[in-house]
Every structure is written in C-alpha cells, then in structure tokens.
C-alpha cells in the first residue's frame, strides 16, 4: 500500500516520524492507526530493514525503518492522507512513487 498526502502528487509508504521514547515498530502502529484507521500490533510486523533515500515531502534525505504487515480489513484515509492505493511491487503502476518505495522497497518485496 502507498499513500498520498493532501496537497502532494507523490505516493509514499504509510508511516511517519518516531516520537521521543517510541520504538520504530510502535511508531508504525501508531501512524497507520492515525492515517488509515488500521489497528495493528508490533508482533504482527515483519522487519524489512533500515533504508535511506531522497525525501519527497521535505528537503534532504529520509531514513526509514520499514516493516511489512498483511491485512484483510477495510482501510480509510484519515489525517493528512488524501488517497491510498494497493500496488503490486513486482508490477507497479504509472503512479508517481517516492524513490525509497520505487528503488528499494519494491524490489525487496517483489522477490
């Protein structure tokens, strides 16, 4: 799944910044709850790794801890998320996709 924030054209992975004292897995659970109404627990996540690439919605680069989770429930765009799409990483569509997703996560997930 990729999301697009309100007022932007590029699709990115859902998630956000880690709050002080928060672990990366707890942060992703909090962020997807806020952004997509999706209630997941850290034990449901599979860690994919730590990645660094060009940021699309702020200057410089972004470092991200990436996780995979399988869901079979309804998702609703909320907070700053205007749109979400399900994308097959082995055959991505013609969307404008963030470099980290396109160049690092898609190839990893397509294997």
């Amino acid at each position: 799944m990729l999301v697009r924030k309100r007022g932007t054209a590029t699709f990115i992975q859902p998630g956000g910044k880690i709050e002080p004292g928060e672990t990366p897995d707890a942060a992703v659970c909090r962020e997807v709850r806020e952004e997509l109404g999706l209630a997941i627990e850290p034990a449901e996540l599979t860690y994919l790794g730590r990645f660094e690439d060009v940021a699309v919605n702020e200057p410089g680069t972004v470092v991200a801890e990436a996780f995979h989770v399988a869901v079979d429930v309804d998702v609703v765009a909320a907070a700053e998320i205007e749109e979400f799409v399900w994308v097959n990483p082995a055959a991505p569509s013609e969307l404008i996709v963030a470099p980290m997703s396109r160049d690092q996560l898609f190839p990893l997930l397509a294997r």
Side-chain angles (χ1 to χ4, degrees):
M1 171 192 284
L2 297 175
V3 299
R4 185 177 57 77
K5 291 183 177 184
R6 193 168 291 106
T8 67
T10 304
F11 283 84
I12 61 176
Q13 300 300 129
K17 292 183 174 53
I18 299 171
E19 298 291 334
E22 192 173 43
T23 61
D25 56 348
V28 76
C29 292
R30 176 184 51 77
E31 287 283 348
V32 298
R33 182 175 291 115
E34 292 171 3
E35 295 178 349
L36 302 166
L38 183 60
I40 57 174
E41 297 296 326
E44 298 175 74
L45 301 171
T46 300
Y47 184 69
L48 298 177
R50 183 178 175 95
F51 301 88
E52 184 174 342
D53 214 316
V54 177
V56 294
N57 293 323
E58 51 192 74
T61 61
V62 64
V63 175
E65 304 274 351
F67 297 86
H68 176 270
V69 64
V71 298
D72 63 354
V73 296
D74 291 334
V75 177
V76 178
E80 72 272 16
I81 304 304
E82 186 165 320
E83 180 180 8
F84 67 88
V85 293
W86 295 100
V87 178
N88 178 346
S93 65
E94 296 299 316
L95 299 171
I96 300 169
V97 177
M100 183 180 301
S101 300
R102 181 189 65 228
D103 300 335
Q104 296 189 57
L105 297 176
F106 282 4
L108 178 67
L109 293 169
R111 289 188 220 148

